[in-house]
Amino acid sequence: MQAVHNIAEICARHGITDVVLSPGSRCAPLTIAFARHPEIKVRTVPDERAAAFIGLGLAQAQKRAVALVCTSGTAGLNYAPAVAEAYFQQIPLVVFTADRPPEWIDQLDGQTIRQADLYGAHAKGSFQFPADTSHPDALWHSARLVSEAIGLAEQFPAGPVQVNVPLREPFYPKPGEELQFTAVKVAREVPGRPQLPEPVLRELQDALRSTTRVLVVAGQHPADTDLLLALRRFAAVWQVPVVGDVIANLHLPAAPDYDQRLRPLGRHDVFLAVPEPGLKEALKPELLITFGQSLISKALKLYLRNAKPAQHWHIQPSGAVADTFQSLTKVLRVEPVDFFTAMMAEEPAPTAPTAGVPGMLVAPPDATRVAPAPHPVGPARLTWPAPGGQLTEAEAQTKAAYLKPWLAAENWASRFLPDFLAQPNPPFNEFLAIYQALQGLPDGTALHLANSMAVRYANILGLPAGRTVEVFANRGTSGIDGCTSTAVGAALAQPHRPVVLLTGDVAFFYDRNAFWHNYPVPNLRVILLNNHAGGIFRLIDGPRQQPELEEFFETRQPLTAANTARDFNLRYLTADTFTKLESVLPVFFAPEHGATLLEITTDSKTNAEFFEQYRAAVRTSFS
């Protein structure tokens, strides 16, 4: 078993500090090796599906690989949803699946399935650990392939890999026998950083200069201050609108003092629903620049597919690239932060500061103001270049003419939403309840958005301006199956940071085993929207017009979360009116109360009616 025990040492040498395993007999040698390794923290989660998503949440929060360990048979199949999510969200997982020896596959032995390449196209790679490591070459081979697997998992684009480990009995060391973690040779990946050649940079700058209507769209992306600063400076220099869903994390403050008028735009789900042909034509880009992963906004995806820009550049250092908008013309193999920084290689000309805010510069003089600039105490820490250097005055004015309708639409949506939500005596509904809850998020929160309506509502409503709230969502596959477990993993990874999960009832009850373990998560807060149905089907065209809606699409259920909270020792709060919600939110977010579940109970039909009022108001209120 020395080669198997060496797996734990190799993982530790590669910087893997966290392992999530599910109990089993066939995986006992792996379990014991990881449990006894002094540099590795092991957590046991009985349900493999929840365990894998908890591992995903740990890796997502820590930005490094996490190992999973399970026994043979269908245990590994239960990892599949999380493995697929990790693949499409580019999160490194190293999955160790214990297996029967190869001679016993398909011989009707218990807990035996065909485990080689178990995850197929949804893993970056699959490795078969040798069944016999008695020969020195086999011992060398076993160590080498584990290093290769970890390197592949972490290599951009990161993702999951499987190491299938066939094991023969005996599995357990003799009483008193100590494991030896011997010195093991490991091969590490040393990542490089691709750079665009100088002639290519000049060509791209010339294209930017000569193209009037340039739009930047960000897909899902982790919070990255350097990228955010480069992107905002790029937008100011080139007079380019930048658009991103809430999961792109462009809403975060770029620095303690920054000009809100230059922040990226995030209200597109509101204003793109306006049936105004003139607006759609005014927003149409000639050059689309994208980076990041998936979009939440169906309205933005459909608009860009119909708008069909003449050029579409996607920025991604390596890996397969999706042609989401059916217009891709160029793939730039570079990090997004390096691209946006390189596009400003020339020194921009000095410009006058904004009146009243020393050192800060305005957006185009004729552009609509998105939000009032903050009033920093002391000297401003950020200065923003106005167009210059790259652009002549005439070019800047032409580009500002394209920027103006984007800012105007954003400004209208930013006024419209609070005005609509402030209507007198509305019925209690989840749209308004979510808005109220989001306003109370503590600074520094990691906000996890479950799939279905929770992530869509948040994308429409946005987050409080200037608040440092990093957003996460399982939008790789957009499934509901592990949203709670992922948030639990994030809470375990960052015990001193508030982690808030916003989820619906179907996603929550589907993933109750996220709490079935023995590890406290006092920093976790769960906001559960319980309308006792799959309420999304009342909000989308198609199912809501069908007579089978209630029985076969909504799948109505009478459950409440009270028993779940009691079973797993979560503080339990409820609200079914705006008054109750307002009174419980301060208690809910208070750090001293430990893991807390807030169940907000609403009526599915009322939610649908109010949301239809919102959509009708969007269609008629734009001016």
Side-chain angles (χ1 to χ4, degrees):
M1 287 295 173
Q2 187 60 54
V4 176
H5 297 161
N6 286 347
I7 290 174
E9 175 66 15
I10 296 167
C11 286
R13 295 277 299 277
H14 278 279
I16 292 177
T17 60
D18 291 84
V19 175
V20 181
L21 61 84
S22 297
S25 184
R26 183 65 54 171
C27 60
L30 285 164
T31 298
I32 293 169
F34 279 118
R36 295 187 187 181
H37 197 284
E39 298 174 23
I40 292 178
K41 184 175 182 62
V42 178
R43 297 178 177 90
T44 302
V45 179
D47 184 325
E48 283 88 2
R49 189 184 73 196
F53 276 107
I54 287 173
L56 184 145
L58 284 161
Q60 187 184 62
Q62 296 175 342
K63 296 179 172 59
R64 62 174 179 263
V66 166
L68 304 175
V69 175
C70 70
T71 194
S72 63
T74 57
L77 287 174
N78 285 297
Y79 281 169
V83 168
E85 179 63 33
Y87 181 83
F88 288 109
Q89 207 181 138
Q90 299 176 4
I91 294 175
L93 294 178
V94 184
V95 182
F96 294 99
T97 52
D99 198 3
R100 275 349 191 225
E103 63 270 19
W104 284 106
I105 307 302
D106 291 330
Q107 300 306 309
L108 303 182
D109 206 23
Q111 262 181 277
T112 305
I113 64 172
R114 299 168 185 175
Q115 290 185 206
D117 197 20
L118 190 60
Y119 308 110
H122 293 113
K124 287 187 69 180
S126 180
F127 298 79
Q128 188 71 15
F129 200 83
D132 183 356
T133 56
S134 58
H135 192 280
D137 286 355
L139 192 63
W140 159 77
H141 175 223
S142 66
R144 193 195 75 215
L145 72 83
V146 174
S147 276
E148 289 177 2
I150 297 169
L152 181 61
E154 294 180 330
Q155 183 187 101
F156 187 92
V161 298
Q162 179 198 9
V163 181
N164 194 50
V165 186
L167 295 164
R168 292 191 174 94
E169 296 188 58
F171 303 139
Y172 301 92
K174 297 175 182 178
E177 180 182 348
E178 292 187 4
L179 269 61
Q180 300 295 321
F181 297 108
T182 59
V184 181
K185 180 181 179 181
V186 299
R188 291 190 177 89
E189 293 273 345
V190 180
R193 188 121 173 179
Q195 298 294 325
L196 296 174
E198 193 68 24
V200 174
L201 289 176
R202 297 303 168 212
E203 177 188 331
L204 297 175
Q205 285 185 326
D206 289 343
L208 276 174
R209 186 179 297 107
S210 61
T211 306
T212 300
R213 301 157 75 91
V214 180
L215 174 67
V216 175
V217 172
Q220 182 170 20
H221 200 281
D224 184 334
T225 300
D226 291 339
L227 172 60
L228 196 53
L229 289 170
L231 185 57
R232 294 187 181 191
R233 189 166 180 264
F234 170 88
V237 167
W238 290 97
Q239 302 293 276
V240 170
V242 177
V243 178
D245 287 333
V246 69
I247 57 173
N249 283 298
L250 302 185
H251 57 276
L252 292 163
D257 303 318
Y258 73 101
D259 192 333
Q260 295 237 41
R261 290 164 294 168
L262 297 176
R263 77 177 189 269
L265 313 182
R267 300 292 190 186
H268 46 281
D269 250 353
V270 181
F271 62 74
L272 285 176
V274 171
E276 174 93 21
L279 174 63
K280 300 289 176 62
E281 185 61 32
L283 301 180
K284 186 176 178 179
E286 298 168 346
L287 166 59
L288 173 65
I289 302 174
T290 60
F291 68 93
Q293 298 168 51
S294 64
L295 295 179
I296 301 168
S297 175
K298 185 175 181 179
L300 182 58
K301 279 190 283 194
L302 292 179
Y303 174 67
L304 291 173
R305 285 172 189 169
N306 290 327
K308 286 289 185 293
Q311 298 184 71
H312 174 193
W313 305 348
H314 183 74
I315 309 165
Q316 184 176 306
S318 65
V321 173
D323 189 8
T324 304
F325 311 115
Q326 301 176 316
S327 58
L328 188 66
T329 58
K330 199 183 297 286
V331 178
L332 305 177
R333 293 302 190 182
V334 68
E335 292 285 350
V337 64
D338 293 338
F339 168 80
F340 292 115
T341 301
M343 288 300 99
M344 299 175 293
E346 296 177 8
E347 186 65 26
T351 54
T354 307
V357 187
M360 288 192 174
L361 304 170
V362 294
D366 60 340
T368 304
R369 198 167 180 155
V370 174
H375 298 287
V377 178
R381 300 183 190 182
L382 270 180
T383 57
W384 295 98
Q390 280 85 351
L391 299 178
T392 66
E393 184 176 348
E395 289 169 339
Q397 288 179 352
T398 303
K399 289 183 180 294
Y402 176 62
L403 177 59
K404 182 178 179 180
W406 281 99
L407 293 178
E410 178 85 1
N411 185 47
W412 169 80
S414 297
R415 289 195 313 267
F416 164 78
L417 269 174
D419 289 347
F420 173 79
L421 297 174
Q423 61 181 272
N425 303 316
F428 189 64
N429 65 87
E430 60 189 16
F431 192 54
L432 266 172
I434 291 171
Y435 178 76
Q436 196 169 339
L438 291 176
Q439 300 308 302
L441 289 172
D443 206 42
T445 292
L447 175 63
H448 282 250
L449 300 172
N451 285 311
S452 197
M453 283 310 297
V455 69
R456 290 173 171 84
Y457 281 140
N459 200 51
I460 292 169
L461 294 167
L463 299 173
R467 198 81 53 86
T468 304
V469 175
E470 188 176 2
V471 180
F472 302 86
N474 284 349
R475 297 302 291 179
T477 60
S478 302
I480 64 166
D481 35 11
C483 300
T484 305
S485 295
T486 304
V488 168
L492 289 169
Q494 302 171 311
H496 303 297
R497 182 184 192 184
V499 175
V500 176
L501 169 66
L502 179 64
T503 185
D505 50 352
V506 178
F508 177 82
F509 291 121
Y510 193 81
D511 194 22
R512 276 182 292 189
N513 279 355
F515 304 107
W516 186 25
H517 53 77
N518 299 319
Y519 308 101
V521 281
N523 54 325
L524 179 66
R525 301 291 182 273
V526 179
I527 302 172
L528 167 59
L529 306 162
N530 192 352
N531 55 43
H532 296 288
I536 188 174
F537 293 105
R538 285 190 181 272
L539 304 178
I540 56 179
D541 289 332
R544 65 176 177 161
Q545 285 94 8
Q546 308 307 315
E548 295 87 357
L549 170 66
E550 291 194 11
E551 183 175 359
F552 297 106
F553 290 94
E554 279 198 318
T555 56
R556 296 189 65 80
Q557 47 78 23
L559 300 174
T560 72
N563 289 337
T564 301
R566 185 195 63 239
D567 289 345
F568 298 113
N569 198 29
L570 307 173
R571 182 185 177 93
Y572 179 62
L573 304 171
T574 62
D576 56 8
T577 68
F578 290 118
T579 302
K580 290 180 182 177
L581 181 60
E582 185 177 2
S583 67
V584 301
L585 280 174
V587 178
F588 173 74
F589 285 121
E592 63 271 15
H593 289 150
T596 305
L597 169 62
L598 168 59
E599 185 168 24
I600 300 174
T601 304
T602 61
D603 176 70
S604 182
K605 293 180 181 178
T606 302
N607 293 333
E609 290 167 359
F610 188 84
F611 196 66
E612 187 53 43
Q613 289 179 31
Y614 156 76
R615 292 199 285 203
V618 170
R619 291 192 293 267
T620 58
S621 301
F622 182 76
S623 60

